[in-house]
Amino acid sequence: MEQLRCSNLSVGYGEHAIASGLNFSMHAGDYLCIVGENGAGKSTLMRTLLGLQKPVSGQMAFSPQIQKNEIGYLPQKMHAQRDFPASAGEIVLSGLQGKTGRRPFYRRSEKAEARRIMHRLSIGDLADKSFRKLSGGQQQKVLLARALCASGKILFMDEPVTGLDPEAAREMYAMIGELHRDGMTIVMISHDILSAVKYADHILHIGDAGFFGRKEEYLCSETGKRFLNQREVSCDEPDHDAD
């Protein structure tokens, strides 16, 4: 099922477009990685798709079957996020606010859902711990759990492993891969092109020479070859599953 289609989309601020002529679609169960040079407009595109800012021009439309409360978002990790004065469990539970309507409280079933997601990510034992005292990898898992509370079908992530050590990054990619295998649609911005071509099945390259298509096609395209210049990835790169 097609979940999103963008036609001749331009994104930016006001009338100033940073990225233009974007044409791509997304189907249920896709793993789409958005790549491009710094300043190409990757984060701006993601915020536009999430409805956090208006497109400059063009069209974008989600399927009528996709509701706002079925979309989760893990933004870039900012320094201020590390100092949230709350427990890990409270932060995860806050991801359900979009589903509570005007209720000033969480139902027992909603609290159980937050606990289930934390256990799924192997962070159930962190529920009562202060978020600010957690390691960087633990904090990112908590924020991922929060995004999953808000998501039912699509998960958007902006540089989810930035600032993590190699082991924590590997664990994060493994968790994302498991979510994808369970049917979640993944949309991820990554500056790490090696990981993008390892885990994603579709690539959207934003820049002067744009590209949208399957990973294997990207590796063999002129755009992919230029962007992967001097990187140890070949046109014959086989598929990989997340570890």
Side-chain angles (χ1 to χ4, degrees):
M1 181 188 77
E2 185 173 273
Q3 294 180 325
L4 171 69
R5 175 169 291 275
C6 294
S7 302
N8 202 29
L9 182 67
S10 294
V11 300
Y13 300 91
E15 297 181 356
H16 175 64
I18 298 175
S20 303
L22 302 175
N23 295 281
F24 64 96
S25 59
M26 190 171 70
H27 292 74
D30 280 354
Y31 193 147
L32 172 66
C33 198
I34 303 173
V35 301
E37 301 292 350
N38 290 337
K42 301 185 295 295
S43 295
T44 303
L45 171 61
M46 184 166 283
R47 288 194 296 269
T48 302
L49 297 179
L50 289 162
L52 301 177
Q53 60 188 73
K54 294 181 179 180
V56 175
S57 62
Q59 297 183 355
M60 53 166 279
F62 281 93
S63 163
Q65 282 76 35
I66 303 298
Q67 306 299 316
K68 286 186 177 181
N69 62 7
E70 294 178 318
I71 300 174
Y73 176 39
L74 180 60
Q76 286 190 42
K77 190 175 180 183
M78 304 300 181
H79 181 75
Q81 287 179 301
R82 302 171 186 158
D83 294 320
F84 282 153
S87 71
E90 289 170 335
I91 288 175
V92 173
L93 190 58
S94 70
L96 290 164
Q97 286 181 347
K99 300 179 181 180
T100 61
R102 296 185 178 182
R103 277 189 287 112
F105 60 90
Y106 296 104
R107 293 193 176 106
R108 183 178 301 176
S109 60
E110 292 165 341
K111 293 179 181 180
E113 174 68 4
R115 289 194 299 270
R116 184 191 67 79
I117 289 174
M118 292 189 73
H119 283 292
R120 180 181 184 183
L121 299 185
S122 300
I123 55 173
D125 59 330
L126 303 180
D128 296 326
K129 296 186 181 297
S130 171
F131 180 79
R132 65 179 64 179
K133 294 182 179 179
L134 301 180
S135 69
Q138 290 172 328
Q139 288 183 340
Q140 197 68 343
K141 290 177 185 177
V142 168
L143 295 175
L144 176 59
R146 181 184 186 276
L148 288 175
C149 280
S151 174
K153 296 182 178 178
I154 305 175
L155 180 60
F156 285 87
M157 293 175 288
D158 193 347
E159 303 283 10
V161 302
T162 296
L164 301 184
D165 61 53
E167 178 60 21
R170 187 197 67 78
E171 290 182 1
M172 181 62 66
Y173 279 128
M175 288 180 176
I176 295 168
E178 183 178 341
L179 293 169
H180 176 241
R181 287 191 294 273
D182 287 345
M184 181 77 70
T185 301
I186 303 294
V187 185
M188 181 175 69
I189 292 174
S190 179
H191 69 278
D192 183 358
I193 186 62
L194 295 179
S195 293
V197 298
K198 180 177 182 181
Y199 296 111
D201 52 39
H202 287 77
I203 303 290
L204 173 63
H205 185 119
I206 300 178
D208 293 336
F211 175 91
F212 170 68
R214 294 195 60 83
K215 171 182 64 179
E216 297 82 6
E217 298 169 340
Y218 178 71
L219 292 172
C220 297
S221 69
E222 291 303 316
T223 299
K225 289 177 180 178
R226 281 197 298 270
F227 197 60
L228 292 165
N229 185 36
Q230 297 181 346
R231 293 178 171 87
E232 296 179 359
V233 177
S234 72
C235 183
D236 298 323
E237 176 81 9
D239 283 338
H240 293 271
D241 290 327
D243 297 329

